[in-house]
Structures are given as C-alpha cells and as structure tokens.
Amino acid sequence: MESLRQKVRRIDGRGYPAYRDLRGIYRYEQFILYIDHVQGDPFASPSRMRVRVPADTAGFPADTHSNLSREIALRDYLTRRFSETCRSTQGRRMGSGKSGTIAIDRPGQEILERTSVVLADGDIEARFVVGLPAFGRRIAGRHAETMLCDEIPGIIATSLICAAIDQADLYRHIMTAEDADALRSRLSDLGFVAFVADGSVLPRRSGIDPRPAEGAGVVPFRSPERFRVAVTLPNRGAITGMGIPKGISLIVGGGYHGKSTLLRALELGIYNHIPGDGREFVVTSPGTVKIRAEDGRRIEKVDISPFITNLPTGADTTSFSTEDASGSTSQAANIIEALEAGADVLLIDEDTSATNFMIRDHRMQELVSKDMEPITPFIDKVRHLHQEYGVSTVLVIGGSGDYFDVADYVICMTAYIPVDMTAEAHAIAENYRTERQREGGESFGMVRCRIPLAESFDPGRGRRDVKITAKGLHTIAFGREMIDLSQVEQIVDTSQTRAVGRAIYYATRYMDGRRTMRDVVGAVFRDIEKGGLDILQERPAGDFAVFRAHDLAAAINRLRTLRVRSSDRPVRKD
Ligand code: ADP
Ligand code: MG
C-alpha cells in the first residue's frame, strides 16, 4: 500500500494519463488490491479494481458457505454491505466526471448469483469500480490517496470482515435463501408448480418501486383451505401456504382484486428474495416462463402451426418468419420458443395477451368459420400441452368463463384473498354450456427444433471485434444490433442483461450447424455451472448476474439478424 501511496503522491497534479502507472497489485494489511484497469479520463467508465481478503482474515465460518444456496446468499449479502458502505461513507466530492465514486453492483429484491463478490478457495474477492479523482484533467493526488489508502480499507473492514457484520442479519439472509431453494426443489415432487406461503405480502410499493407495499391496506396472503399444505423447511421449520398443483389453473376474480399481483409474484418465484421482501416463500418451478403478446417482435422460422395455420398470405407456419409479428403470432411464437427452451410452466395474464389468441367464442365461431380463421386459440391447446408435454399453465382470466371447461382448478381472488371456486366453476360449465366447438384437434401437433446459425451473429462494432453492452435493463447492444428485452419480464436486473449479452456471443462457439437451440443453450449452461459466470468474458467482470436458459434463448430469438435452419427433430417432450 505504501508503494501505491508514493505513486499517487508522485503523480499529483499531472495529466490524467499518468494514473496508468497505478495498474498493478498492492498488498494491504487485510487484503490485496488489484488495479486491473485505469480509466482514460475522469468522464470515462470508472477504473476497475478488485480486492482479495484471505479466508483467515475475513473469518466467515464454514456454515456461511457450506452449500451453493448459502454461498450465493453470502456473496449477495456482502455485495449489499459493500454497496451500502460505499454510499454511506461517500459524501459529495469535488472533482470532475466520476471523480471520487466507489461503487459495486447493487442488488435489488432478488438474491442472485453475481460476480461482484466471489469466493476463491475461501478467500473473498470483491470487484468494484473507482472514479479516480481529478480537477479538470489534472490528477487530484491527495484525494486519490484518501480514497485508495483510507476509504477502500475502511469499506473492506466494515463490509467484508465477518466480525464487523451483524451476525443475526447475515444468518437470516443465508437461511432464508436456503429455505427458499429447498422449497423450490421440492415443488415438483409435491405435485406443485408453485407455492405461496401464508402471510406473504405480494403487492409492491409502486409500479417502479419493487419494495413491499406498506400500510393498513395491505392484505397478507391466505391460502384457501383446499390448497393449503404444510411444508417443512430446513431452517424455519413448518410453514403453510397454497400449493398450486400441476395442471391448468385459472386465477379469476373481479378487476382490481389482485389477480395480476399474484401472477407477478409467481413470475418472480423463480428467484429467492431478501428477508422482508414479503415474497421470501413464494416459489415457482425453475422452468416457469411468463408468456405474453409482443407485437412488433421478429420471428425467425418458428413452427407456430399448432396455433396458426392457413394465413391469408399462404405463408408456411411450420417455419414462420416475420419482421413485425402480430399480437397472436408473437404470443404463439413465445410459447413455442418456451417449449423449445424446456419450459415446464407457462404463466399468462389476460392483461398482456392477445384476445384472439386466448379465445374464440361460440358466436364468433358461427360468424367466422374455422377455415377462415388461422388461429387455434390457446383454450383448445392448453390441455394438449399438459398431456403431451407435461407443461402446466396458470392463467389470469377475468373476462372469459369459457376457460372453465378446460381448467383443473379455479382460484377466485376476492378482495386480495384467494378462494377455491373450482366446483362452482365446473357446475356453471355444466349448466351453461357454451356450444363452442373445440378446434384444437387430437393433439398439440409436432413442433420441430431449430438450429441457430453462427454466421448470423456479429458482435463487432466500429474498430472493436466484440462490443456488447447492456443499455439499461431492457436492451442489449450486440455489435450494431439492439436486442429488445422489454417484454421478457422475468429479467429483473441490468447485470443479468449484461451477462445474457455476453452469453449470446459465448454461445456461438457451440453453433456448429447441427446443435439445436436447446443444445446450444444447454452447452453454455453446463460451462457456467462448471466455471461460473466468469467464463463469459476474458477479464474478470464484477457486474454479471445469473440468468436462465430461457432468458438466453429469449435474447437470441429477439436478435433481428438471427438465422436458423429447421431440423426434422421434434422438440423434446419431457
Ligand atoms: P387485477 O389484476 O385483479 O385487476 P391487480 O393485481 O392489478 O388487480 O391489483 C390491483 C391493485 O391492488 C394494485 O394496485 C395492487 O398493488 C393492489 N393489491 C394487490 N394485491 C394486494 C393486497 N394483497 N393487498 C393490498 N393491495 C393489493
Ligand atoms: Mg390484472
């Protein structure tokens, strides 16, 4: 550290490029600092650094990282501590551009595996950025010295050393995550697609604030008797809640009674949540995919024939392409692509669906004959999906009772409390027959795999061979292409977007003209499981977060230059 101090003093007042000399490795009392990259000027992306705290110094007991759940939760917790400490210790600072900032990736309500803090043989490595300070383009050496020799050691001492951390708070974080993982891993054996614990708080503070809603108006979740089960978690012990069985479930109820809020909680039940979130024990099957209409998206040779045939253009819907999908064709493609990526649960909200994709009622069947309607509505395929592919569906439907005919379970939201109305709905279906014709045929229909072609991916831009960045949560800039993920609703963190962008490029190595989309994405995930998210980039990145195979496939499918070849192999039914 003293050598770093000397260097900083020496370059005080000089032009900004002299900061380059700082690159290197420095031993501090409690840790080693790696200055990996130094920014070119005070306005550029801040400099990238890492610290490594030896296991003995950090002192985290083995039980804080004795399995993957715990390890991820510990790393998440330390990232939060580090981030909070940065924000609370840093006042307003003089200087230009990013001068004076010290920052690490900042997690939200979800506990995600991140590269911001990693464990290496028990040592703790934190990756963060530092805005090396300057006035204009003159190095502010005194400030830099304070940052590097006082502030950074201070942040490490309060956020990465076990003795400085509130033990009860840390263990609550770890135990909560471990319990949620245990619950999620048992879902399938219990016959459920999802579980919502009694007492959960589902509504959020606002459409842009994902923290839990507060106040007297919040109605905690309470399971209907029929669906209430008790499960025993490794740390918390027995809890009760609603198990949503495999099959076809409807969430019905009046407008504003909490249907979409429940569905949103299920969408995010693929992730663990921090203590106090309200959705700690709302979990869904890891293969749960939210499906919605997404008009305007591109579709590349997707076999949407189970849902769409006989288009007026004569286009082949077993290999359907468009630059500008309609509501129904986009929703059909989203389902087929989800099957292709291995989804086992679909979540659909009428609010974001194409009506003509969801339902074609009796009167419409009388007026527009089947041979003039290309669309086979979802209602006539949802059963086949379950029987033939083992794919369950949870639907929010407030507008069409026709779905009672195909539902196994009907849950009615009544002033935010779910009520089992399966028997009533089935009785109504019996008493008021709709006379509508089933249009779905004998089976779902064969869906063929697609083979992505490597030459359709060009990550280069300008002089750079590979230029891939996340432009906020919803957009990946992949070379010169912009990938729009705004309708891929289960991506919740910009660090996921960033990692997905790199993963697309990484995936191209497996695109050999034979591997299907599922094979390619599967190969990427096998590598990630072995080597972590660090495999996605040559240099260590501190701002990647974990994503799912579905998200990677979704991003590839939305790349407008994507080209695929149809294969003869059917999409696996499992
Ligand atoms: P629906 O889809 O049935 O029309 P929403 O799920 O959109 O209804 O919910 C309507 C409003 O009620 C939203 O503002 C939501 O935040 C709020 N809300 C949802 N669930 C609860 C609850 N359990 N307690 C209090 N408010 C809730
Ligand atoms: Mg709604």
Side-chain angles (χ1 to χ4, degrees), residues 200-207 213-221 251-264 349-351 396 398 413 415-417:
S200 296
V201 171
L202 309 186
R204 300 292 99 189
R205 214 163 285 184
S206 81
E214 288 176 322
V218 173
V219 181
F221 189 84
I251 300 170
V252 303
Y256 219 70
H257 278 253
K259 303 184 295 298
S260 296
T261 303
L262 172 56
L263 198 78
R264 181 65 181 154
D349 192 331
E350 64 183 351
D351 289 356
V396 166
M413 295 304 286
Y416 311 124
I417 300 287

Side-chain angles (χ1 to χ4, degrees), residues 36-165:
D36 290 327
H37 166 263
V38 173
Q39 64 205 98
D41 67 73
F43 298 92
S45 311
S47 306
R48 290 193 305 271
M49 305 190 186
R50 288 176 292 146
V51 294
R52 201 177 246 240
V53 187
D56 288 349
T57 312
F60 288 94
D63 68 357
T64 58
H65 50 87
S66 47
N67 59 42
L68 192 60
S69 286
R70 291 183 181 207
E71 184 196 312
I72 290 170
L74 171 65
R75 288 162 52 193
D76 174 89
Y77 188 85
L78 297 180
T79 301
R80 289 170 199 270
R81 287 285 308 185
F82 194 112
S83 175
E84 281 159 22
T85 313
C86 288
R87 278 179 294 130
S88 64
T89 56
Q90 288 191 282
R92 220 163 13 91
R93 189 175 301 279
M94 284 188 300
S96 28
K98 309 226 165 62
S99 287
T101 47
I102 303 176
I104 196 164
D105 206 8
R106 192 175 164 190
Q109 296 300 112
E110 285 76 25
I111 297 174
L112 301 177
E113 177 165 17
R114 285 174 194 276
T115 56
S116 49
V117 172
V118 297
L119 296 190
D121 310 322
D123 295 356
I124 291 177
E125 180 173 304
R127 300 165 179 180
F128 55 100
V129 294
V130 174
L132 290 170
F135 296 111
R137 292 185 182 277
R138 301 261 147 246
I139 288 175
R142 286 241 318 280
H143 288 290
E145 187 181 335
T146 308
M147 290 177 73
L148 295 169
C149 302
D150 297 333
E151 288 185 339
I152 288 176
I155 291 166
I156 307 309
T158 45
S159 63
L160 299 184
I161 307 290
C162 189
I165 286 175

